[in-house]
Amino acid sequence: MFIDVDANFPALRALASNFEAIRDEALAIDPADYFEYIQREIFTGSWRLFVLYSEVEDWTYANAVEENRRRCPRTWELVKDVPDKVLVGFSYLAPQTHVYPH
């Protein structure tokens, strides 16, 4: 079963149409600036995060969001008004990393 993104999440259409700008900002981030994800039970390998938004403001990864937003202004502009967001950012998965369903 596939979800009709346009019907159910129309605010996300802007992300698809701005893929290149989002990709360019993500690729400009040094992988060393990502934080290793701490929930080791949901993946094998190396999963790192670069967080632009977290609904949990005191979460370890949320500490750098203001600086991260300055580094990715176009991406942040596109997602800041998306309703009901929980976590926004980029993931960096090392080769052979597997994320389990969660």
Side-chain angles (χ1 to χ4, degrees):
M1 175 179 195
F2 292 96
I3 296 172
D4 183 340
V5 174
D6 288 329
N8 293 286
F9 306 102
L12 300 183
R13 178 53 54 205
L15 299 179
S17 62
N18 286 277
F19 168 78
E20 290 83 7
I22 295 168
R23 181 202 56 213
D24 291 348
E25 286 184 343
L27 291 174
I29 303 165
D30 185 329
D33 292 340
Y34 286 65
F35 292 98
E36 187 73 31
Y37 194 54
I38 57 174
Q39 280 187 280
R40 296 287 313 165
E41 69 277 5
I42 64 170
F43 69 97
T44 61
S46 178
W47 181 6
R48 300 173 64 85
L49 300 174
F50 187 87
V51 177
L52 300 175
Y53 172 85
S54 171
E55 74 174 358
V56 181
E57 294 177 5
D58 64 347
W59 190 40
T60 301
Y61 303 112
N63 293 337
V65 295
E66 291 301 325
E67 173 61 24
N68 292 352
R69 291 172 186 171
R70 282 190 285 279
R71 294 174 65 185
C72 302
R74 183 70 183 130
T75 302
W76 178 241
E77 187 62 33
L78 290 163
V79 299
K80 72 179 182 180
D81 295 323
V82 171
D84 303 319
K85 59 188 171 291
V86 175
L87 179 66
V88 176
F90 298 113
S91 287
Y92 182 88
L93 301 175
Q96 306 303 311
T97 297
H98 176 78
V99 178
Y100 302 114
H102 62 281

